[in-house]
Structures are given as C-alpha cells and as structure tokens.
Amino acid sequence: MQVKTIDKPLKDELVVLFKSEEDMQKNPHPDFKGKFEESLLSYTNDQIPRKLFLGLGETNKVDKEKIRKLVSKSLDRVQSLKLKISALQKTLSTE
C-alpha cells in the first residue's frame, strides 16, 4: 500500500485513517474510540481538509475479513461524498 505526500490543500479528496483501540488510548479523541467499524468524518482547516477515521478494533483481533470490511466501508463513504481517496494512513498486515 502506498501513501502519497500531500503538499497543498485538497478540494475533493479524503485521507482515510485506520485506527485501533490501542492507537486511540495513546492519542484519545472525545468522539472516536477506534472500535471495529466505528467511523468519524472530520473536517479541518489544516493541510488535509477531510479525514475519515475508521476503527480497527483490538489490534490482536484484526484479520483479513475485518480489513476487507473496513476498506469496503471507506470506499462506500467516499463514493457517497463524491470524493477521491488521496491516501490510506496505515499499512495493514494480518501475518
């Protein structure tokens, strides 16, 4: 999986961030805990105007089927918003 560097604000693009419950314990967010299939669309004024957070759940319970479901969910959300994915944040491995 490749992640491209973003040098300027994006109009119709979205960055998808996969976060586990353990990630969120290290960097808490009041509206997102990292539970499996949990999602949060965030609009910001920084370099990346839209971020879609998707919950992986507990890291030790991530498998190929859960990854497939999350990628499908992210693509559905992107389509419904008529956006393009500019980057996926996390390299996912089930090995």
Coordinates of all heavy atoms in Angstrom, one line a residue:
M1 N 0.9 -1.2 0.0 CA 0.0 0.0 0.0 C 0.9 1.2 0.0 O 1.8 1.3 0.8 CB -0.9 0.0 1.3 CG -1.9 1.1 1.4 SD -2.9 1.0 2.8 CE -3.6 -0.6 2.7
Q2 N 0.6 2.2 -0.9 CA 1.5 3.4 -1.0 C 0.7 4.5 -0.4 O -0.5 4.6 -0.5 CB 1.8 3.7 -2.4 CG 2.8 2.7 -3.0 CD 3.1 3.0 -4.4 OE1 2.5 3.9 -5.1 NE2 4.2 2.4 -4.9
V3 N 1.4 5.4 0.2 CA 0.8 6.7 0.7 C 1.5 7.8 0.1 O 2.8 7.9 0.0 CB 1.0 6.8 2.3 CG1 0.5 8.1 2.8 CG2 0.3 5.6 3.0
K4 N 0.8 8.7 -0.5 CA 1.4 9.8 -1.2 C 1.6 11.0 -0.2 O 0.7 11.2 0.6 CB 0.7 10.2 -2.5 CG -0.5 11.1 -2.3 CD -1.1 11.5 -3.6 CE -2.2 12.4 -3.5 NZ -2.8 12.8 -4.8
T5 N 2.6 11.8 -0.5 CA 2.8 13.0 0.3 C 1.9 14.1 -0.2 O 1.8 14.3 -1.4 CB 4.3 13.5 0.2 OG1 5.1 12.4 0.6 CG2 4.5 14.7 1.1
I6 N 1.3 14.9 0.7 CA 0.4 15.9 0.3 C 1.0 17.3 0.6 O 1.4 17.6 1.7 CB -1.0 15.8 1.1 CG1 -1.6 14.4 0.8 CG2 -1.9 16.9 0.8 CD1 -2.7 14.1 1.7
D7 N 1.2 18.1 -0.5 CA 1.9 19.3 -0.4 C 1.0 20.5 -0.3 O 1.4 21.6 0.0 CB 2.8 19.5 -1.6 CG 3.9 18.4 -1.6 OD1 4.4 18.0 -0.5 OD2 4.3 18.0 -2.7
K8 N -0.3 20.4 -0.7 CA -1.2 21.5 -0.7 C -2.6 21.0 -0.3 O -2.9 19.8 -0.4 CB -1.2 22.2 -2.0 CG -1.6 21.3 -3.2 CD -1.5 22.0 -4.5 CE -1.9 20.9 -5.6 NZ -1.8 21.5 -6.9
P9 N -3.5 21.9 0.1 CA -4.8 21.5 0.5 C -5.5 20.8 -0.7 O -5.3 21.2 -1.9 CB -5.5 22.9 0.8 CG -4.4 23.8 1.2 CD -3.2 23.3 0.3
L10 N -6.4 19.9 -0.4 CA -7.1 19.1 -1.4 C -8.6 19.5 -1.4 O -9.2 19.6 -0.4 CB -6.9 17.6 -1.1 CG -5.5 17.2 -0.9 CD1 -5.5 15.8 -0.3 CD2 -4.7 17.2 -2.2
K11 N -9.1 19.7 -2.6 CA -10.5 20.0 -2.7 C -11.5 18.8 -2.5 O -12.4 18.8 -1.7 CB -10.8 20.8 -4.0 CG -10.2 22.1 -4.0 CD -10.6 22.8 -5.3 CE -9.9 24.1 -5.5 NZ -10.1 24.8 -6.7
D12 N -11.3 17.9 -3.4 CA -12.3 16.8 -3.5 C -11.6 15.5 -3.1 O -11.9 14.4 -3.6 CB -12.8 16.6 -4.9 CG -13.7 17.8 -5.3 OD1 -14.2 18.5 -4.4 OD2 -13.7 18.2 -6.4
E13 N -10.7 15.5 -2.1 CA -10.0 14.3 -1.7 C -10.2 14.1 -0.2 O -10.5 15.0 0.5 CB -8.5 14.3 -2.1 CG -8.4 14.3 -3.6 CD -6.9 14.1 -4.1 OE1 -6.1 13.6 -3.3 OE2 -6.6 14.5 -5.2
L14 N -9.9 12.9 0.2 CA -10.1 12.4 1.6 C -9.0 11.5 2.0 O -8.5 10.7 1.2 CB -11.4 11.7 1.6 CG -11.8 11.0 2.9 CD1 -12.4 12.0 3.9 CD2 -12.9 9.9 2.6
V15 N -8.5 11.7 3.2 CA -7.5 10.8 3.7 C -8.2 9.8 4.7 O -9.0 10.3 5.5 CB -6.4 11.6 4.4 CG1 -5.4 10.6 5.1 CG2 -5.6 12.4 3.4
V16 N -8.0 8.5 4.5 CA -8.6 7.5 5.3 C -7.6 7.1 6.3 O -6.4 6.7 6.0 CB -9.1 6.3 4.5 CG1 -9.7 5.3 5.4 CG2 -10.1 6.8 3.5
L17 N -7.9 7.2 7.6 CA -7.0 6.8 8.7 C -7.6 5.6 9.5 O -8.7 5.7 10.0 CB -6.8 8.0 9.7 CG -6.3 9.3 9.0 CD1 -7.0 10.5 9.7 CD2 -4.8 9.3 9.1
F18 N -6.9 4.5 9.5 CA -7.3 3.3 10.2 C -6.7 3.4 11.6 O -5.4 3.5 11.7 CB -6.8 2.0 9.5 CG -7.5 1.8 8.1 CD1 -6.9 2.3 7.0 CD2 -8.7 1.2 8.0 CE1 -7.5 2.2 5.7 CE2 -9.3 1.0 6.8 CZ -8.7 1.5 5.6
K19 N -7.5 3.3 12.6 CA -7.0 3.5 14.0 C -7.5 2.3 14.8 O -8.7 2.0 14.8 CB -7.5 4.8 14.6 CG -7.0 6.0 13.9 CD -5.5 6.2 14.2 CE -5.0 7.5 13.6 NZ -3.6 7.7 13.9
S20 N -6.7 1.7 15.6 CA -7.1 0.7 16.5 C -7.5 1.3 17.9 O -7.2 2.5 18.2 CB -5.9 -0.3 16.7 OG -4.9 0.3 17.5
E21 N -8.1 0.5 18.7 CA -8.4 0.9 20.1 C -7.1 1.3 20.8 O -7.1 2.3 21.6 CB -9.1 -0.2 20.8 CG -10.5 -0.4 20.3 CD -11.3 -1.5 21.0 OE1 -11.2 -1.6 22.3 OE2 -12.1 -2.2 20.4
E22 N -6.0 0.6 20.6 CA -4.7 0.9 21.2 C -4.2 2.2 20.7 O -3.7 3.0 21.5 CB -3.7 -0.2 21.0 CG -4.1 -1.6 21.6 CD -5.0 -2.4 20.8 OE1 -5.5 -2.0 19.8 OE2 -5.3 -3.5 21.3
D23 N -4.3 2.5 19.4 CA -3.9 3.8 18.9 C -4.7 4.9 19.6 O -4.1 6.0 20.0 CB -4.2 4.0 17.4 CG -3.4 3.1 16.5 OD1 -2.3 2.7 16.9 OD2 -3.9 2.7 15.4
M24 N -5.9 4.7 19.8 CA -6.8 5.8 20.4 C -6.5 5.9 21.9 O -6.8 7.0 22.5 CB -8.3 5.5 20.1 CG -8.6 5.6 18.6 SD -7.8 7.0 17.7 CE -8.6 8.4 18.5
Q25 N -6.1 4.9 22.6 CA -5.7 5.0 24.0 C -4.5 5.9 24.1 O -4.4 6.7 25.1 CB -5.5 3.7 24.6 CG -6.7 2.9 24.8 CD -6.5 1.5 25.3 OE1 -5.4 1.0 25.4 NE2 -7.6 0.8 25.5
K26 N -3.6 5.8 23.2 CA -2.3 6.7 23.2 C -2.7 8.1 22.8 O -2.0 9.0 23.4 CB -1.3 6.1 22.2 CG -0.8 4.8 22.6 CD 0.1 4.2 21.5 CE 0.5 2.8 21.7 NZ 1.1 2.2 20.5
N27 N -3.6 8.3 21.9 CA -4.0 9.7 21.5 C -5.5 9.8 21.5 O -6.1 9.7 20.4 CB -3.5 9.9 20.0 CG -2.0 9.9 20.0 OD1 -1.3 10.6 20.6 ND2 -1.4 9.0 19.2
P28 N -6.1 10.0 22.6 CA -7.6 10.0 22.8 C -8.3 11.1 22.0 O -7.7 12.1 21.7 CB -7.8 10.2 24.3 CG -6.5 10.0 24.9 CD -5.4 10.2 23.9
H29 N -9.5 10.7 21.5 CA -10.3 11.7 20.8 C -11.7 11.6 21.5 O -12.2 10.4 21.7 CB -10.4 11.3 19.3 CG -11.2 12.3 18.5 ND1 -12.5 12.4 18.6 CD2 -10.7 13.3 17.7 CE1 -12.9 13.4 17.8 NE2 -11.9 13.9 17.2
P30 N -12.4 12.6 21.8 CA -13.7 12.5 22.5 C -14.8 11.8 21.8 O -15.7 11.3 22.4 CB -14.0 14.0 22.8 CG -13.3 14.8 21.8 CD -12.0 14.0 21.5
D31 N -14.7 11.8 20.4 CA -15.8 11.3 19.6 C -15.4 10.0 18.9 O -16.2 9.5 18.1 CB -16.3 12.3 18.6 CG -16.8 13.6 19.2 OD1 -17.4 13.4 20.3 OD2 -16.6 14.6 18.7
F32 N -14.2 9.5 19.1 CA -13.8 8.3 18.4 C -12.9 7.4 19.2 O -11.9 7.9 19.8 CB -13.0 8.7 17.1 CG -12.6 7.6 16.2 CD1 -13.5 7.0 15.4 CD2 -11.3 7.1 16.2 CE1 -13.2 5.9 14.5 CE2 -10.9 6.0 15.4 CZ -11.9 5.5 14.6
K33 N -13.3 6.1 19.4 CA -12.5 5.2 20.3 C -11.7 4.2 19.6 O -11.0 3.4 20.2 CB -13.5 4.6 21.3 CG -14.3 5.6 22.1 CD -13.5 6.4 23.0 CE -14.3 7.4 23.8 NZ -13.8 8.6 24.0
G34 N -11.9 4.0 18.2 CA -11.2 3.0 17.5 C -11.9 1.6 17.5 O -11.3 0.7 17.1
K35 N -13.1 1.6 17.9 CA -13.8 0.3 17.9 C -14.1 -0.2 16.5 O -14.2 0.6 15.6 CB -15.2 0.4 18.7 CG -15.0 0.9 20.1 CD -15.7 0.0 21.0 CE -15.5 0.4 22.5 NZ -14.5 -0.3 23.2
F36 N -14.2 -1.5 16.3 CA -14.3 -2.0 14.9 C -15.5 -1.5 14.2 O -16.6 -1.4 14.8 CB -14.4 -3.6 15.0 CG -14.5 -4.2 13.6 CD1 -13.5 -4.0 12.7 CD2 -15.7 -4.9 13.3 CE1 -13.7 -4.6 11.4 CE2 -15.8 -5.4 12.0 CZ -14.8 -5.3 11.1
E37 N -15.3 -1.0 13.0 CA -16.3 -0.4 12.1 C -16.8 1.0 12.6 O -17.7 1.6 12.0 CB -17.5 -1.3 11.9 CG -17.1 -2.5 11.0 CD -18.3 -3.2 10.4 OE1 -18.8 -2.9 9.4 OE2 -18.7 -4.2 11.1
E38 N -16.3 1.5 13.7 CA -16.7 2.9 14.1 C -16.1 3.8 13.0 O -15.0 3.6 12.5 CB -16.1 3.1 15.5 CG -16.3 4.5 16.0 CD -15.7 4.8 17.3 OE1 -14.8 4.0 17.7 OE2 -16.0 5.7 18.0
S39 N -16.8 4.9 12.8 CA -16.2 5.9 11.8 C -16.5 7.3 12.3 O -17.4 7.6 13.0 CB -16.8 5.7 10.4 OG -18.2 6.0 10.4
L40 N -15.6 8.2 11.8 CA -15.7 9.6 12.1 C -15.2 10.4 11.0 O -14.0 10.2 10.6 CB -15.0 10.0 13.4 CG -14.9 11.5 13.7 CD1 -16.2 12.0 14.2 CD2 -13.8 11.7 14.8
L41 N -16.0 11.2 10.4 CA -15.6 12.1 9.3 C -15.2 13.5 9.9 O -16.1 14.1 10.6 CB -16.6 12.3 8.2 CG -16.3 13.1 7.0 CD1 -15.1 12.5 6.3 CD2 -17.5 13.3 6.1
S42 N -14.0 13.9 9.7 CA -13.5 15.1 10.4 C -13.2 16.1 9.3 O -12.5 15.8 8.4 CB -12.3 14.8 11.2 OG -11.7 15.9 11.8
Y43 N -13.7 17.4 9.5 CA -13.3 18.5 8.7 C -12.4 19.4 9.4 O -12.7 19.7 10.6 CB -14.6 19.3 8.3 CG -15.5 18.5 7.4 CD1 -16.5 17.7 7.9 CD2 -15.4 18.6 6.0 CE1 -17.3 16.9 7.1 CE2 -16.3 17.9 5.2 CZ -17.2 17.1 5.7 OH -18.0 16.4 4.9
T44 N -11.3 19.7 8.8 CA -10.3 20.6 9.5 C -9.9 21.7 8.6 O -10.2 21.8 7.4 CB -9.0 19.7 9.9 OG1 -8.4 19.3 8.6 CG2 -9.4 18.5 10.7
N45 N -9.1 22.6 9.2 CA -8.6 23.8 8.4 C -7.1 23.6 8.1 O -6.5 24.5 7.6 CB -8.8 25.1 9.2 CG -10.2 25.5 9.4 OD1 -11.0 25.2 8.5 ND2 -10.6 26.0 10.5
D46 N -6.6 22.4 8.4 CA -5.2 22.2 8.1 C -5.0 21.7 6.7 O -5.8 21.9 5.8 CB -4.6 21.2 9.1 CG -5.1 19.8 9.1 OD1 -5.9 19.5 8.1 OD2 -4.8 19.0 9.9
Q47 N -3.8 21.2 6.4 CA -3.4 20.8 5.1 C -4.3 19.7 4.4 O -4.5 19.7 3.2 CB -2.0 20.3 5.1 CG -1.3 20.3 3.7 CD 0.2 20.0 3.9 OE1 0.7 19.7 4.9 NE2 0.9 20.2 2.8
I48 N -4.9 18.9 5.3 CA -5.8 17.9 4.8 C -7.2 18.2 5.3 O -7.5 18.0 6.4 CB -5.4 16.5 5.3 CG1 -3.9 16.2 5.0 CG2 -6.3 15.4 4.8 CD1 -3.3 15.1 5.7
P49 N -8.1 18.8 4.4 CA -9.4 19.3 4.9 C -10.4 18.2 5.4 O -11.2 18.5 6.2 CB -9.9 20.0 3.7 CG -9.2 19.5 2.5 CD -7.9 19.0 3.0
R50 N -10.3 17.0 4.8 CA -11.2 15.9 5.3 C -10.4 14.7 5.7 O -9.6 14.2 4.9 CB -12.2 15.5 4.1 CG -13.2 16.6 3.8 CD -14.1 16.0 2.7 NE -14.9 17.1 2.1 CZ -14.6 17.7 1.0 NH1 -13.5 17.5 0.4 NH2 -15.4 18.7 0.6
K51 N -10.8 14.1 6.8 CA -10.2 12.9 7.3 C -11.3 11.9 7.7 O -12.2 12.3 8.4 CB -9.3 13.1 8.5 CG -8.1 14.0 8.1 CD -7.3 14.3 9.4 CE -6.3 15.4 9.1 NZ -5.6 15.9 10.3
L52 N -11.2 10.7 7.2 CA -12.2 9.7 7.6 C -11.4 8.7 8.5 O -10.5 8.0 8.1 CB -12.8 8.9 6.4 CG -13.7 7.8 6.7 CD1 -15.0 8.3 7.5 CD2 -14.1 7.1 5.4
F53 N -11.8 8.7 9.8 CA -11.2 7.7 10.7 C -12.1 6.5 10.7 O -13.3 6.6 10.8 CB -11.2 8.3 12.2 CG -10.3 9.5 12.3 CD1 -10.7 10.8 12.0 CD2 -9.0 9.3 12.7 CE1 -9.9 11.9 12.2 CE2 -8.1 10.4 12.9 CZ -8.6 11.7 12.6
L54 N -11.4 5.3 10.6 CA -12.2 4.0 10.7 C -11.5 3.2 11.8 O -10.3 3.0 11.9 CB -12.1 3.3 9.4 CG -12.9 3.9 8.2 CD1 -12.6 3.2 6.9 CD2 -14.4 3.8 8.5
G55 N -12.4 2.6 12.6 CA -11.9 1.8 13.7 C -11.6 0.4 13.4 O -12.3 -0.3 12.7
L56 N -10.4 0.0 13.8 CA -9.9 -1.4 13.5 C -10.3 -2.3 14.7 O -10.2 -3.5 14.5 CB -8.4 -1.4 13.5 CG -7.7 -0.9 12.2 CD1 -6.2 -0.8 12.4 CD2 -8.0 -1.8 11.1
G57 N -10.7 -1.8 15.8 CA -11.0 -2.6 17.0 C -9.6 -2.9 17.7 O -8.7 -2.2 17.6
E58 N -9.6 -4.1 18.4 CA -8.4 -4.5 19.1 C -7.4 -5.0 18.1 O -7.8 -5.9 17.2 CB -8.8 -5.6 20.1 CG -9.7 -5.1 21.2 CD -10.1 -6.2 22.2 OE1 -9.2 -7.1 22.5 OE2 -11.2 -6.2 22.6
T59 N -6.2 -4.6 18.1 CA -5.1 -4.9 17.2 C -5.0 -6.5 17.1 O -4.8 -7.0 15.9 CB -3.8 -4.3 17.6 OG1 -4.0 -2.9 17.7 CG2 -2.7 -4.6 16.6
N60 N -5.0 -7.2 18.2 CA -4.8 -8.6 18.1 C -6.0 -9.4 17.5 O -5.9 -10.6 17.3 CB -4.5 -9.2 19.5 CG -5.6 -9.0 20.5 OD1 -6.5 -8.2 20.2 ND2 -5.5 -9.6 21.6
K61 N -7.1 -8.7 17.2 CA -8.2 -9.4 16.6 C -8.4 -9.0 15.1 O -9.4 -9.3 14.5 CB -9.5 -9.1 17.4 CG -9.5 -9.7 18.8 CD -10.8 -9.4 19.5 CE -10.7 -10.0 20.9 NZ -11.9 -9.7 21.7
V62 N -7.5 -8.2 14.6 CA -7.6 -7.8 13.2 C -7.3 -8.9 12.3 O -6.3 -9.6 12.5 CB -6.7 -6.6 12.9 CG1 -6.7 -6.2 11.4 CG2 -7.1 -5.3 13.7
D63 N -8.1 -9.2 11.3 CA -7.8 -10.3 10.3 C -8.2 -9.8 8.9 O -8.7 -8.6 8.8 CB -8.6 -11.6 10.7 CG -10.1 -11.4 10.7 OD1 -10.6 -10.4 10.2 OD2 -10.8 -12.2 11.3
K64 N -8.0 -10.6 7.9 CA -8.2 -10.2 6.5 C -9.6 -9.8 6.3 O -9.9 -8.9 5.6 CB -7.8 -11.3 5.6 CG -6.3 -11.5 5.5 CD -5.9 -12.6 4.6 CE -4.4 -12.8 4.7 NZ -3.9 -13.9 3.8
E65 N -10.6 -10.5 6.9 CA -12.0 -10.2 6.7 C -12.4 -8.8 7.3 O -13.1 -8.1 6.6 CB -12.9 -11.3 7.3 CG -14.4 -11.1 7.1 CD -14.8 -11.1 5.6 OE1 -14.1 -11.5 4.7 OE2 -15.9 -10.5 5.4
K66 N -11.8 -8.5 8.4 CA -12.1 -7.2 9.0 C -11.5 -6.1 8.2 O -12.1 -5.0 8.0 CB -11.6 -7.1 10.4 CG -12.4 -7.9 11.4 CD -11.9 -7.7 12.8 CE -12.9 -8.3 13.8 NZ -12.5 -8.1 15.2
I67 N -10.3 -6.3 7.6 CA -9.7 -5.3 6.8 C -10.5 -5.1 5.5 O -10.8 -4.0 5.1 CB -8.3 -5.7 6.4 CG1 -7.4 -5.7 7.7 CG2 -7.7 -4.8 5.3 CD1 -6.0 -6.3 7.5
R68 N -11.0 -6.2 4.9 CA -11.9 -6.2 3.7 C -13.1 -5.3 4.0 O -13.5 -4.5 3.2 CB -12.2 -7.6 3.3 CG -13.0 -7.6 1.9 CD -13.7 -8.9 1.7 NE -14.8 -9.1 2.6 CZ -16.0 -8.5 2.7 NH1 -16.2 -7.5 1.8 NH2 -16.9 -8.8 3.6
K69 N -13.8 -5.6 5.1 CA -15.0 -4.8 5.5 C -14.7 -3.3 5.7 O -15.5 -2.5 5.2 CB -15.6 -5.4 6.8 CG -16.3 -6.7 6.6 CD -16.9 -7.1 8.0 CE -17.6 -8.5 7.8 NZ -18.2 -8.9 9.1
L70 N -13.6 -3.0 6.3 CA -13.2 -1.6 6.5 C -12.9 -0.9 5.2 O -13.3 0.2 5.0 CB -12.1 -1.5 7.5 CG -12.4 -1.8 8.9 CD1 -11.1 -1.8 9.8 CD2 -13.4 -0.8 9.5
V71 N -12.2 -1.5 4.3 CA -11.8 -0.9 3.1 C -13.1 -0.7 2.3 O -13.3 0.4 1.7 CB -10.8 -1.7 2.3 CG1 -10.6 -1.2 0.9 CG2 -9.5 -1.7 3.0
S72 N -14.0 -1.7 2.3 CA -15.3 -1.6 1.6 C -16.1 -0.4 2.2 O -16.7 0.4 1.4 CB -16.1 -2.9 1.7 OG -17.3 -2.7 1.1
K73 N -16.1 -0.3 3.5 CA -16.9 0.8 4.1 C -16.3 2.1 3.8 O -17.0 3.1 3.5 CB -16.8 0.6 5.7 CG -17.7 1.6 6.4 CD -17.7 1.2 7.9 CE -18.7 2.2 8.6 NZ -19.1 1.7 9.9
S74 N -15.0 2.2 3.7 CA -14.3 3.5 3.4 C -14.7 3.9 1.9 O -14.9 5.0 1.6 CB -12.8 3.5 3.6 OG -12.2 2.6 2.7
L75 N -14.7 2.9 1.0 CA -15.0 3.2 -0.4 C -16.4 3.6 -0.5 O -16.7 4.5 -1.3 CB -14.7 2.0 -1.3 CG -13.2 1.6 -1.4 CD1 -13.0 0.4 -2.1 CD2 -12.4 2.8 -2.0
D76 N -17.3 3.0 0.2 CA -18.8 3.4 0.2 C -18.9 4.8 0.6 O -19.6 5.6 0.0 CB -19.6 2.5 1.0 CG -19.8 1.1 0.4 OD1 -19.5 0.9 -0.8 OD2 -20.2 0.2 1.2
R77 N -18.2 5.1 1.7 CA -18.3 6.5 2.3 C -17.8 7.5 1.3 O -18.4 8.6 1.1 CB -17.6 6.6 3.6 CG -17.8 7.8 4.4 CD -19.2 7.9 5.0 NE -19.5 9.1 5.7 CZ -19.3 9.2 7.0 NH1 -18.9 8.2 7.7 NH2 -19.6 10.4 7.6
V78 N -16.7 7.2 0.7 CA -16.0 8.1 -0.3 C -17.0 8.4 -1.4 O -17.2 9.5 -1.9 CB -14.7 7.6 -0.7 CG1 -14.1 8.3 -1.9 CG2 -13.7 7.6 0.4
Q79 N -17.6 7.3 -2.0 CA -18.5 7.4 -3.1 C -19.7 8.2 -2.7 O -20.1 9.1 -3.5 CB -19.0 6.0 -3.5 CG -18.2 5.4 -4.7 CD -18.9 4.2 -5.2 OE1 -19.5 3.4 -4.4 NE2 -18.8 3.9 -6.4
S80 N -20.2 8.1 -1.5 CA -21.4 8.8 -1.1 C -21.1 10.3 -1.0 O -22.0 11.1 -1.2 CB -22.0 8.3 0.2 OG -21.2 8.6 1.3
L81 N -19.9 10.6 -0.7 CA -19.5 12.0 -0.6 C -19.0 12.6 -1.9 O -18.6 13.8 -1.9 CB -18.4 12.2 0.5 CG -18.8 11.8 1.9 CD1 -17.6 11.7 2.9 CD2 -19.8 12.8 2.4
K82 N -18.9 11.7 -2.9 CA -18.4 12.1 -4.2 C -16.9 12.7 -4.1 O -16.6 13.7 -4.7 CB -19.3 13.1 -4.9 CG -20.7 12.6 -5.2 CD -21.5 13.5 -5.9 CE -22.9 13.1 -6.3 NZ -23.5 12.0 -5.8
L83 N -16.1 12.0 -3.4 CA -14.7 12.4 -3.2 C -13.8 11.3 -3.8 O -14.2 10.3 -4.2 CB -14.4 12.5 -1.7 CG -15.3 13.5 -0.9 CD1 -15.0 13.4 0.5 CD2 -15.0 14.9 -1.4
K84 N -12.5 11.6 -3.7 CA -11.5 10.6 -4.1 C -10.6 10.4 -2.9 O -10.4 11.3 -2.1 CB -10.6 11.2 -5.2 CG -11.3 11.6 -6.4 CD -10.4 12.3 -7.4 CE -11.1 12.9 -8.5 NZ -10.4 13.9 -9.2
I85 N -10.1 9.2 -2.7 CA -9.1 8.9 -1.6 C -7.8 9.3 -2.1 O -7.3 8.9 -3.1 CB -9.1 7.4 -1.3 CG1 -10.5 7.0 -0.7 CG2 -8.0 7.1 -0.3 CD1 -10.5 5.5 -0.4
S86 N -7.1 10.2 -1.3 CA -5.8 10.7 -1.6 C -4.7 9.8 -0.9 O -3.6 9.7 -1.4 CB -5.6 12.1 -1.3 OG -5.8 12.3 0.1
A87 N -5.1 9.2 0.2 CA -4.1 8.4 0.9 C -4.8 7.5 2.0 O -5.8 7.9 2.5 CB -3.1 9.3 1.7
L88 N -4.2 6.4 2.2 CA -4.6 5.5 3.3 C -3.5 5.5 4.3 O -2.3 5.4 3.9 CB -4.8 4.0 2.8 CG -5.9 3.8 1.8 CD1 -5.9 2.4 1.3 CD2 -7.2 4.2 2.4
Q89 N -3.8 5.7 5.6 CA -2.8 6.0 6.6 C -2.0 4.9 7.0 O -0.8 5.0 7.4 CB -3.5 6.7 7.7 CG -2.6 7.1 8.9 CD -2.5 6.1 10.0 OE1 -3.3 5.2 10.0 NE2 -1.6 6.2 10.9
K90 N -2.5 3.7 7.2 CA -1.8 2.6 7.9 C -1.6 1.4 7.0 O -2.5 1.0 6.2 CB -2.6 2.2 9.1 CG -1.9 1.3 10.1 CD -2.7 1.2 11.3 CE -1.8 1.1 12.5 NZ -2.4 1.2 13.7
T91 N -0.4 0.9 7.0 CA -0.1 -0.4 6.3 C -0.7 -1.5 7.2 O -0.4 -1.6 8.4 CB 1.4 -0.6 6.2 OG1 1.9 0.4 5.4 CG2 1.6 -1.9 5.4
L92 N -1.6 -2.3 6.6 CA -2.3 -3.3 7.4 C -1.8 -4.7 7.0 O -1.6 -5.0 5.9 CB -3.8 -3.3 7.0 CG -4.5 -1.9 7.3 CD1 -5.9 -1.9 6.8 CD2 -4.5 -1.6 8.8
S93 N -1.5 -5.4 8.0 CA -0.9 -6.8 7.8 C -1.6 -7.7 8.8 O -1.8 -7.4 9.9 CB 0.6 -6.8 8.1 OG 1.1 -8.1 8.0
T94 N -1.9 -8.9 8.3 CA -2.5 -9.9 9.2 C -1.6 -11.1 9.3 O -2.0 -12.2 9.7 CB -3.9 -10.4 8.6 OG1 -3.7 -10.9 7.3 CG2 -4.9 -9.2 8.6
E95 N -0.4 -11.0 9.0 CA 0.6 -12.1 9.1 C 1.2 -12.1 10.5 O 1.3 -11.2 11.2 CB 1.7 -11.9 8.1 CG 1.1 -12.0 6.7 CD 2.1 -11.9 5.6 OE1 3.1 -11.2 5.8 OE2 1.9 -12.4 4.5

